[in-house]
Amino acid sequence: MKKITKTKITLLAILALAVVTTGFRCTWVSPAEQQLLEPVELTWWGVFDDPENFSEIISDYSALHPNIKITYR
């Protein structure tokens, strides 16, 4: 019969712990994180500026945050 060493048990425990802890995070989203994923619409009001001045900034921000829509008025 093969003898199981303390090193093998430790490595097996670390591997099992890694599998268990990384697996739960993939399927569970907290309510706070779910709220961050909901679509948001922002209206940006300007008085003296043209909307074209901010179109590049708004499109860059929208590329980073696809759930946020910005309307400039």
Side-chain angles (χ1 to χ4, degrees):
M1 198 176 223
K2 291 185 179 182
K3 187 174 182 183
I4 299 176
T5 63
K6 188 175 182 180
T7 306
K8 287 182 182 179
I9 293 174
T10 304
L11 289 175
L12 185 60
I14 290 172
L15 180 64
L17 182 66
V19 169
V20 169
T21 57
T22 58
F24 286 122
R25 187 65 186 148
C26 293
T27 59
W28 188 73
V29 177
S30 71
E33 291 172 331
Q34 182 65 35
Q35 187 178 13
L36 292 175
L37 298 175
E38 293 178 2
V40 175
E41 185 172 342
L42 300 174
T43 304
W44 185 355
W45 291 86
V47 180
F48 299 110
D49 296 314
D50 291 328
E52 293 82 25
N53 295 345
F54 298 103
S55 62
E56 185 178 350
I57 296 170
I58 291 172
S59 65
D60 290 345
Y61 187 84
S62 296
L64 291 174
H65 307 280
N67 62 319
I68 299 175
K69 179 184 175 194
I70 299 174
T71 306
Y72 184 83
R73 294 183 181 225

